[in-house]
Amino acid sequence: MTTVAESGTDAERPGAAGRGAADDERLRRWRMVLGADSAESTGCTLTGRDAAMDGALNALYGGGGRPGSRGGSERSAGLGASAPSVARWLGDIRTYFPSSVVQVMQRDAIDRLGLSALLLEPEMLEAVEADVHLVGTLLSLNKAMPETTKETARAVVRKVVDDLENRLATRTRATLTGALDRSAKINRPRHHDIDWDRTIRANLKNYLLLPGGAGAGTVVPERLIGYGRAAHAVKKDVILCIDQSGSMAASVVYASVFGAVLASMRTLRTRLVVFDTAVVDLTEQLDDPVDVLFGTQLGGGTDINRALAYCQSQITRPADTVVVLISDLYEGGIRDEMLKRVAAMKASGVQFVTLLALSDEGAPAYDREHAAALGALGAPAFACTPDLFPEVMAAALEKRPLPIPDKETHQ
């Protein structure tokens, strides 16, 4: 008969006798979910890889939310404010967790433990998993970043931007090229460029009955309507007007990438404007979204009215212009003037789009009163994911209803 001391198995835990493998696995999972404080109540002792994963989680979530804090638990190791310990922890979580989880844990570490200052060290930047949120944090630290770190920071930002551009560019160009082609109707199209639906509707008055056809007839197309495919002249103007307040960090990153993609299309003339209480035109840097991002300054106030006044001054072809305002609409400027500008632009023929966010972060916080006022002007405000943005732009270019995703997140 094997004794407890000889086996060294789970039999030494309280209540282990009579438990099956399924029960042990269930307890192990609950122990991992609940953390170190549940060790006694679950009677489960972690070993090996499980113990290492639990230690990495406990270092972040077991403390009291400050560097070095142990909270109410003696088992909470914490990350402290030590760069070496954080570097080791970053290596651990990349070993034990998938990339999507690593990004969430990094974000929580920066928010909960105040580790932003450590990101100013090149060694830290080389150890982190780069994502959109990390780029936002780096941009907010841009002015405080020492010269020794800036090159590493640019490399991190470059990696994220390149990944986003590779993922988004092809579909965006294809979608918008189709929209531009459809919006450029021509009356002498080649056969394969004929828009048959519009051509038939335009020639229904020329319907003729065929002799001996028992009521059968045909449409005589006096006027053909087709798509313009080959023109390389600028067909539409796009102005991206981006709020660079701190809450809009992810939107700034995505908008900069999309701005570069739009600027690469010869049939679009793209302008990119960022603003807080001041307005900065970054159009000249659109060939490199990394330069655009480092030209922004996250944080500060918001003056949407001033930004729209500048955008309005840049419009030369209202009927062929799309203005995209990306902002949570917390206006620090003159509200009534802002609304008047939007109304004036729409009255002149401008297609005006308001995005409360351009990110994957879900429903954003925003000023509902301002969103409702814009909706009343025929410019509904809604949150947009990066995957939906090409469809939104295509609809705006074609002057058709926007594909608003969720009626509860816009006015």
Side-chain angles (χ1 to χ4, degrees):
M1 178 177 180
T2 305
T3 66
V4 171
E6 289 171 337
S7 66
T9 65
D10 289 348
E12 59 186 333
R13 303 173 191 160
R19 284 209 310 256
D23 292 329
D24 287 341
E25 176 61 16
R26 189 178 299 111
L27 284 174
R28 184 189 74 83
R29 290 175 178 270
W30 275 113
R31 167 65 181 79
M32 292 291 290
V33 170
L34 297 175
D37 289 338
S38 69
E40 293 183 7
S41 60
T42 59
C44 180
T45 301
L46 300 177
T47 59
R49 186 180 179 87
D50 285 349
M53 293 173 66
D54 186 62
L57 290 166
N58 196 51
L60 175 57
Y61 300 110
R66 294 177 60 85
S69 172
R70 299 173 68 88
S73 170
E74 293 182 0
R75 294 182 179 88
S76 298
L79 293 178
S82 164
S85 67
V86 175
R88 285 193 297 272
W89 179 79
L90 288 169
D92 288 345
I93 65 174
R94 293 174 76 171
T95 299
Y96 299 120
F97 301 99
S99 177
S100 58
V101 176
V102 169
Q103 292 171 7
V104 172
M105 293 178 71
Q106 286 179 172
R107 201 181 319 155
D108 287 347
I110 292 169
D111 293 341
R112 290 167 57 91
L113 305 180
L115 299 181
S116 297
L118 291 178
L119 293 178
L120 301 180
E121 301 182 18
E123 295 79 7
M124 285 295 101
L125 287 178
E126 292 171 354
V128 295
E129 186 83 16
D131 68 341
V132 169
H133 304 283
L134 177 64
V135 170
T137 301
L138 291 177
L139 296 179
S140 68
L141 297 171
N142 185 25
K143 301 303 179 184
M145 195 174 293
E147 290 298 325
T148 54
T149 307
K150 285 188 175 180
E151 199 58 39
T152 307
R154 285 186 71 90
V156 171
V157 174
R158 172 74 62 191
K159 179 180 184 301
V160 174
V161 166
D162 288 347
D163 288 345
L164 290 177
E165 199 163 6
N166 290 336
R167 177 166 70 88
L168 302 171
T170 301
R171 178 168 171 265
T172 300
R173 292 192 186 101
T175 302
L176 298 192
T177 297
L180 289 165
D181 287 344
R182 288 188 294 272
S183 68
K185 302 296 181 183
I186 59 175
N187 293 324
R188 306 181 85 177
R190 292 173 295 181
H191 178 76
H192 63 275
D193 286 338
I194 295 174
D195 183 340
W196 287 108
D197 287 341
R198 287 172 60 92
T199 296
I200 291 171
R201 286 198 299 270
N203 290 278
L204 284 176
K205 62 182 179 180
N206 301 319
Y207 181 81
L208 298 177
L209 290 174
L210 295 175
T218 184
V219 172
V220 179
E222 290 183 351
R223 183 165 65 94
L224 298 176
I225 301 174
Y227 306 126
R229 301 284 181 183
H232 295 299
V234 172
K235 297 175 182 177
K236 298 284 184 177
D237 294 340
V238 175
I239 302 177
L240 300 178
C241 185
I242 308 168
D243 182 346
Q244 60 177 351
S245 56
S247 60
M248 302 295 294
S251 297
V252 170
V253 176
Y254 281 114
S256 299
V257 172
F258 277 118
V261 174
L262 298 181
S264 71
M265 300 178 64
R266 289 184 293 178
T267 49
L268 289 177
R269 180 185 293 114
T270 304
R271 183 172 294 276
L272 189 142
V273 176
V274 298
F275 68 92
D276 41 37
T277 53
V279 180
V280 180
D281 192 328
L282 297 175
T283 303
E284 295 301 319
Q285 291 153 352
L286 268 177
D287 59 335
D288 188 345
V290 175
D291 287 342
V292 170
L293 288 171
F294 277 96
T296 63
Q297 185 174 339
L298 292 178
T302 308
D303 193 338
I304 303 173
N305 178 54
R306 176 176 289 186
L308 290 182
Y310 177 80
C311 293
Q312 194 174 18
S313 72
Q314 302 301 307
I315 296 173
T316 57
R317 306 186 304 160
D320 293 316
T321 298
V322 177
V323 174
V324 183
L325 172 65
I326 304 174
S327 172
D328 54 18
L329 301 179
Y330 288 110
E331 171 66 319
I334 306 172
R335 175 185 184 272
D336 291 342
E337 286 295 319
M338 174 190 77
L339 296 175
K340 286 180 182 178
R341 292 190 190 283
V342 175
M345 282 188 273
K346 285 188 63 64
S348 69
V350 171
Q351 296 297 300
F352 195 91
V353 179
T354 308
L355 302 182
L356 302 169
L358 178 56
S359 71
D360 289 312
E361 295 180 331
Y366 63 95
D367 189 306
R368 295 180 179 273
E369 183 179 349
H370 289 162
L374 287 171
L377 294 175
F382 58 97
C384 178
T385 64
D387 287 338
L388 181 63
F389 184 74
E391 300 297 335
V392 170
M393 288 302 301
L397 291 170
E398 293 184 74
K399 300 184 179 182
R400 55 182 171 82
L402 302 177
I404 300 173
D406 184 351
K407 297 294 183 183
E408 295 182 357
T409 61
H410 76 283
Q411 297 293 329

